Amino acid sequence: MRYLRKVKELNQVEQWKLERHPLDVRDAVVDRYAREGPEAIKAVPGEVERLKWVGLYPQRQGGDAFMLRIKVPGGRLDADQARVVGEVADEFARGPAPNPVFGDAYLDITTRQDIQLHWIRIGAVPEIWSRLEAVGMTTVQACGDSARNVLCCPVSGLDADEVFDAHPLAAAVSAYFTGNREYANLPRKFKLSVTGCREDCAQAEINDIGLWPARLDDGTVGCNLLVGGGLSDGPRMASDIDVFVAPDPDQVVELFRAIAQLFGELGNRENRGLARMRYLVQELGPERFRAELAERAAFPLQEAGQALTRRYRGDHIGVHPQQQPGRCYVGLNVTVGRMSGRNLVEAARLAGRHGDGQLRLATDQNLILTGVPERRVGALLAEPLLAEHSPAPGAFERGVVACTGSEFCRFALVETKARAAHWARELDRRLGPDETGDGVVRMHLSGCPASCAQPQIADIGFRGETAHRGDQILEAVDIGLGGSLGTDAAFVDWVEGAKPVDELPEALAALLTRYRAERRGGERFHQWARRLPNAELRATLQGGRP
């Protein structure tokens, strides 16, 4: 018998969603707001919230300035799509003054394989949508209380060691939920992940639903199901609920649909702070959640197989052989995910000239060109774009991730993009290349506890804060150490609180110098940090050493 949640009083957002379906906001943008401007949006109760369902957020500057998020299912773009996105950024993503570090007309690659544009005026949105739709792209449900962009290993179908190519599954799930009114009003955002690789590239443990590869005793390959992962204020690793699903698009879509139904029926619609699916999994427990899922799925649930994930890879930077003989993919570093629209247009050109016309976006905010014949790798590496977006960056610039930060986000406490890029480049300058090749350190800077930059799974995670020094209030960060996913998944320990950002370069240099001196053979940073007492790590960050 199905469990049903009794709701006493809907929160304000839920009331707005009942007054008018959020997907109806698209027509309002085209028919009214693009002509009348942002004041017309404010005149409609709840309309700013509904804009999320078409990928629009107001920037912190207010007025006629919006962030527009473009969905890229599984991170796959063809050259025409990349060119159009780059052209749109170059034409429309222009603020009143250039950023002193990044200039103007840029885009951000996100940790969900999306693309974000800033300084978009509402009057330009219908034209942007028209250009995107002409090449098969959309912003629908890139935000809002519905299925977000579906993650997949960025080199699915290319990795010689993958169990199977999971991108068709991710694409089928994305197609099912995008524009589906029945599942577009969930209690909160709904983050989905599918991978057939062995290296946890799609971060199954921190998604609401994660599928990663598994094998049954009879040799059948497919996926085990994880549910209820997430970060933000209440981080939780996803639970394995003992379910195996074949790599069949129809079965996978039905499984995800049934979980969305369960979430929609049982999720918390009273308190948005407790509305994420991880709280529902925690409330029910894995066994009861599985039982409720079995009540809603159209096929019997099969017991889980042997998980085949080996480790958490982290990135795909550099030149790598594909499973297709004589072909390579080339991972390019896009520092903190930010690149100019013109550079994405150029990357699209290079994808067609040197590769198979395909580009991939990775969850570490980087870019991959695929299908490059071995004989053309040298010519690709000699292209001027690769001097700016290098396939061989420094160990710290290679591992740095940052959210939007206070430059645009209304919730962030600190500036992130320029600061994280500066920290990484300064560390590469001070410490130089890592001679062992094991020293890539993943540093993730989030401007607030919402964790858009995923600091809890970083080697070194930063969370925006404020610090008091005398009568001054300074930008600061909490510092966490030792996070990772994969077979040794664990969140960071927050070892230092509210450290002023100006003190970070010296503190990080001391910590990382110590790591390089003390690590054991092949020991990665998160492993080293976990075996040291937090008090020692804190003392090093504070300038002392026990």
Side-chain angles (χ1 to χ4, degrees), residues 70-86 107-109 113-115 132 135-138 149 154 158 167 339 344-345 347-348 351-352 356-362 366-370:
I70 304 166
K71 287 172 73 171
V72 186
R76 288 198 186 187
L77 289 166
D78 63 37
D80 285 342
Q81 292 172 326
R83 175 183 52 78
V84 167
V85 172
L107 56 94
D108 290 336
I109 301 171
Q113 299 174 300
D114 293 304
I115 292 174
L132 294 175
V135 289
M137 303 189 76
T138 187
N149 199 43
L158 308 178
H167 189 266
M339 70 188 307
L344 186 58
V345 171
D356 59 7
Q358 299 291 313
L359 306 90
R360 309 282 181 93
L361 309 180
N366 289 317
L367 180 68
I368 301 166
L369 304 182
T370 66

Side-chain angles (χ1 to χ4, degrees), residues 313 315-320 329-334 364 366-368 390-393 398:
R313 177 169 182 162
D315 75 34
H316 298 80
I317 297 295
V319 179
H320 303 272
Y329 68 83
V330 181
L332 307 183
N333 185 66
V334 182
D364 62 340
N366 289 317
L367 180 68
I368 301 166
S390 173
R398 173 173 175 166

Side-chain angles (χ1 to χ4, degrees), residues 218-508:
D218 65 4
T220 302
V221 297
C223 294
N224 283 350
L225 171 66
L226 306 180
V227 296
L231 300 177
S232 193
D233 285 330
R236 184 182 190 277
M237 291 290 182
S239 298
D240 186 326
I241 62 168
D242 191 25
V243 172
F244 175 90
V245 63
D248 172 79
D250 292 338
Q251 283 211 2
V252 170
V253 166
E254 169 56 20
L255 186 67
F256 280 53
R257 183 214 62 78
I259 298 173
Q261 179 187 346
L262 192 165
F263 182 39
E265 292 175 352
L266 305 187
N268 190 322
R269 293 183 185 265
E270 298 171 80
N271 183 342
R272 281 183 70 80
L274 299 176
R276 290 297 302 275
M277 200 175 83
R278 62 181 179 270
Y279 295 111
L280 178 61
V281 176
Q282 192 166 313
E283 175 187 334
L284 297 179
E287 291 184 4
R288 188 173 177 187
F289 188 95
R290 189 187 195 279
E292 294 292 340
L293 176 58
E295 288 280 338
R296 293 164 173 81
F299 58 84
L301 301 183
Q302 190 171 6
E303 293 180 358
Q306 176 190 359
L308 300 177
T309 296
R310 288 199 298 249
R311 63 167 184 148
Y312 178 52
R313 177 169 182 162
D315 75 34
H316 298 80
I317 297 295
V319 179
H320 303 272
Q322 294 182 186
Q323 60 179 260
Q324 295 79 17
R327 299 274 174 165
C328 299
Y329 68 83
V330 181
L332 307 183
N333 185 66
V334 182
T335 306
V336 298
R338 182 161 286 180
M339 70 188 307
S340 71
R342 291 185 297 275
N343 279 359
L344 186 58
V345 171
E346 175 64 2
R349 186 186 73 83
L350 297 183
R353 180 177 183 184
H354 298 289
D356 59 7
Q358 299 291 313
L359 306 90
R360 309 282 181 93
L361 309 180
T363 57
D364 62 340
Q365 302 181 318
N366 289 317
L367 180 68
I368 301 166
L369 304 182
T370 66
V372 181
E374 291 176 350
R375 67 182 185 280
R376 295 204 62 85
V377 168
L380 173 60
L381 297 181
E383 293 281 359
L385 181 69
L386 275 69
E388 184 171 352
H389 297 297
S390 173
F396 302 104
E397 193 167 357
R398 173 173 175 166
V400 69
V401 170
C403 72
T404 299
S406 61
E407 181 183 9
F408 298 116
C409 178
R410 294 172 294 167
F411 304 109
L413 299 172
V414 300
E415 192 282 328
T416 55
K417 291 282 189 183
R419 180 165 284 131
H422 168 71
W423 289 349
R425 289 164 178 160
E426 178 67 9
L427 288 170
D428 279 323
R429 184 189 68 80
R430 287 193 188 195
L431 303 185
D434 179 50
E435 295 179 358
T436 71
D438 297 322
V440 175
V441 176
R442 296 172 299 106
M443 299 192 303
H444 292 207
L445 173 56
S446 253
C448 77
S451 303
C452 295
Q454 305 172 336
Q456 291 96 331
I457 64 165
D459 289 312
I460 307 176
F462 308 100
R463 182 173 60 193
E465 253 298 353
T466 55
H468 296 265
R469 292 292 187 271
D471 59 354
Q472 290 186 303
I473 299 177
L474 306 175
E475 286 187 297
V477 291
D478 298 330
I479 305 173
L481 303 176
S484 186
L485 295 178
T487 53
D488 60 350
F491 295 134
V492 295
D493 281 347
W494 295 103
V495 302
E496 174 73 327
K499 191 168 189 65
V501 293
D502 290 345
E503 298 176 10
L504 259 292
E506 291 295 333
L508 291 174

